[in-house]
Amino acid sequence: MGTGHSPLGPQLTSVVLFVRDLDESVRFYRALLNVDVRVRTDTACLLARTDGLQLYLRATGPHGAHAAGDVGVQYVIWTATDVDDLSRCEQLLKTGATHTSTWQVDGFTVVEGRDPSGTPILLSYPGPESAPRHEIMNRIYAW
């Protein structure tokens, strides 16, 4: 074990989402994020990519509550790989009738929709490494 530390600190590698319908959510996130099923049980699924991204889906059932406004993660913003990828994701959200809006702010574009459980999905391009964020998006106060 080294005595030094990374100047970057820990990096996000996994996200856990509660979903209502596991099968429907697995199909949705596989298409949206280009991930593969790595492990699956009756009530949970691990989706992953070779770049290290991991998404755990945990089924709560058809009446599981979405705790919008409670303490915890409000939503996750994904960064598309390029403009074509952002367009692909936007079309996927439109096809599923979950697309709500697309807007530009501070040099980047955001596409918003919802997953099959109604959880907000935001995708942006370019990412913060190419278009640094200089202000807090109004969207995070929308609850």
Side-chain angles (χ1 to χ4, degrees), residues 80-111:
T81 56
D82 55 31
V83 173
D84 290 339
D85 189 39
L86 186 65
S87 178
R88 178 191 66 80
C89 292
E90 182 178 31
Q91 290 307 310
L92 179 70
L93 292 170
K94 284 180 178 179
T95 301
T98 66
H99 178 261
T100 58
S101 61
T102 300
W103 70 91
Q104 294 187 342
V105 61
D106 208 18
F108 60 98
T109 303
V110 177
V111 172

Side-chain angles (χ1 to χ4, degrees), residues 46 55 73 82 98 103 116 119:
L46 169 59
L55 176 63
V73 176
D82 55 31
T98 66
W103 70 91
T119 302

Side-chain angles (χ1 to χ4, degrees), residues 48-65:
R49 286 194 314 230
T50 57
D51 67 358
L53 170 72
Q54 295 186 127
L55 176 63
Y56 289 87
L57 301 176
R58 174 70 171 91
T60 62
H63 302 292

Side-chain angles (χ1 to χ4, degrees), residues 32-36 38 47-55 78-79 81:
L32 185 73
L33 302 176
N34 291 324
V35 290
D36 295 316
R38 297 292 168 90
L47 302 170
R49 286 194 314 230
T50 57
D51 67 358
L53 170 72
Q54 295 186 127
L55 176 63
W78 308 94
T79 299
T81 56

